[in-house]
Amino acid sequence: MYCPFCRNPDSRVVDSRLADDGSTIKRRRQCPECGRRFSTVETASLSVIKRSGVGEPFSRSKIINGVRKACQGRPVTDDDLAMLAQEVEETIRASGAAEMAANEVGLAILGPLQKLDQVAYLRFASVYQDFESLADFESAIAQLRSQIPVGQASASDGQEPVRTGGKAAEPSSSVQDR
Ligand SMILES: [Zn+2]
């Protein structure tokens, strides 16, 4: 590749380093013309095959844009979305496949989105899985309910008991009956 400083079309690799998870290789290069150094990162290409059969490169920003709509009005930050997209990419890359159908990418989104925000999850799942009736929502909600460990359910609505010095905190079981 071209030297980013002087556009010389040749460069020499002076160091190669594999990322901890083995998914990328970082190479340190030196330009023989101007002597300056720069880095390149090598990643296996990953294609998403759309319903039409057309493939396009996997893109985290596409994941983020797709999920962001479902997160409107929800307490989800840009950082949350970036982390979700990263998790989705890691899941897909861990499968070892060089190509993946778009609907499988959607499936890979559902898991992390469910952990992030359950309302956004239901919105996303209703579009993505073509919910047609209330029964579809009911079964998705029933599934969500059956997955939530009791301890997490009370912590997620932000009403954790405040511990004050010396005073014993209320037992958490009393918080659950509203
Ligand atoms: Zn150069």
Side-chain angles (χ1 to χ4, degrees):
M1 69 177 284
Y2 290 102
C3 166
F5 302 104
C6 72
R7 313 294 297 165
N8 181 53
D10 190 28
S11 62
R12 194 168 60 89
V13 175
V14 291
D15 185 37
S16 292
R17 200 162 295 178
L18 192 66
D20 288 339
D21 63 357
S23 65
T24 55
I25 285 184
K26 195 172 179 183
R27 296 190 201 280
R28 196 81 184 129
R29 293 169 182 272
Q30 186 169 31
C31 170
E33 191 63 32
C34 70
R36 293 171 92 165
R37 291 185 171 201
F38 57 97
S39 298
T40 53
V41 177
E42 209 173 282
T43 323
S45 68
L46 181 60
S47 299
V48 176
I49 311 297
K50 295 195 284 188
R51 232 175 251 185
S52 60
V54 178
E56 59 179 23
F58 175 88
S59 130
R60 283 193 198 181
S61 58
K62 283 217 169 108
I63 302 282
I64 291 173
N65 288 338
V67 174
R68 180 175 277 140
K69 277 179 220 153
C71 292
Q72 265 176 20
R74 301 298 303 163
V76 174
T77 64
D78 283 353
D79 280 354
D80 292 334
L81 291 175
M83 271 157 59
L84 179 140
Q86 185 181 337
E87 194 175 337
V88 170
E89 180 172 355
E90 281 167 2
T91 305
I92 294 172
R93 287 196 183 276
S95 74
E99 305 183 333
M100 184 163 271
N103 69 321
E104 291 180 73
V105 176
L107 279 178
I109 292 173
L110 289 175
L113 184 56
Q114 185 184 316
K115 281 184 275 166
L116 187 60
D117 188 281
Q118 295 185 338
V119 171
Y121 164 81
L122 281 175
R123 287 177 181 158
F124 186 86
S126 70
V127 175
Y128 166 72
Q129 296 182 315
D130 293 328
F131 283 15
E132 282 171 348
S133 65
L134 286 179
D136 288 334
F137 279 95
E138 278 165 355
S139 62
I141 291 169
Q143 203 188 344
L144 277 178
R145 288 226 163 96
S146 67
Q147 285 169 4
I148 306 170
V150 176
Q152 265 182 19
S154 65
S156 67
D157 54 24
Q159 294 180 350
E160 284 174 275
V162 180
R163 284 170 203 277
T164 46
K167 236 181 179 179
E170 285 284 309
S172 63
S173 59
S174 68
V175 183
Q176 284 166 12
D177 282 319
R178 293 193 211 179

